[in-house]
Amino acid sequence: MQVHESDANLLKLADPQSTVMLIAAMNHVLKTVTSDDRRANIATYSNPVLPLSAGLVTAIVDFLNANSRVTGASK
């Protein structure tokens, strides 16, 4: 709703070493919004009981593991 996939692709072109991760229906506060309704989206900003979008934590852990510069560290 706020940022389009094409924006992410342009940022990737600006820094080819960057990583783009698109998570369907995730908004700026990392919550899932299944509607194009702006009010429903904004309501997620102040609802602390909503879970993080599915796949977000796994994507972050995978990114950190893939880009860790620490060698010999146990996982």
Side-chain angles (χ1 to χ4, degrees):
M1 185 177 280
Q2 296 167 336
V3 179
H4 299 279
E5 186 174 338
S6 60
D7 297 319
N9 293 329
L10 288 171
L11 287 170
K12 174 69 175 167
L13 285 173
D15 183 1
Q17 293 181 334
S18 66
T19 300
V20 173
M21 172 58 65
L22 300 174
I23 298 179
M26 186 172 75
N27 67 6
H28 280 74
V29 292
L30 312 178
K31 309 289 177 74
T32 299
V33 179
T34 57
S35 165
D36 287 337
D37 178 15
R38 189 167 184 78
R39 286 184 196 204
N41 186 9
I42 292 171
T44 67
Y45 284 52
S46 60
N47 187 344
V49 299
L50 291 175
L52 295 173
S53 287
L56 174 63
V57 173
T58 301
I60 291 170
V61 169
D62 290 348
F63 174 84
L64 293 173
N65 286 333
N67 294 282
S68 175
R69 293 202 165 106
V70 176
T71 58
S74 56
K75 294 182 182 180

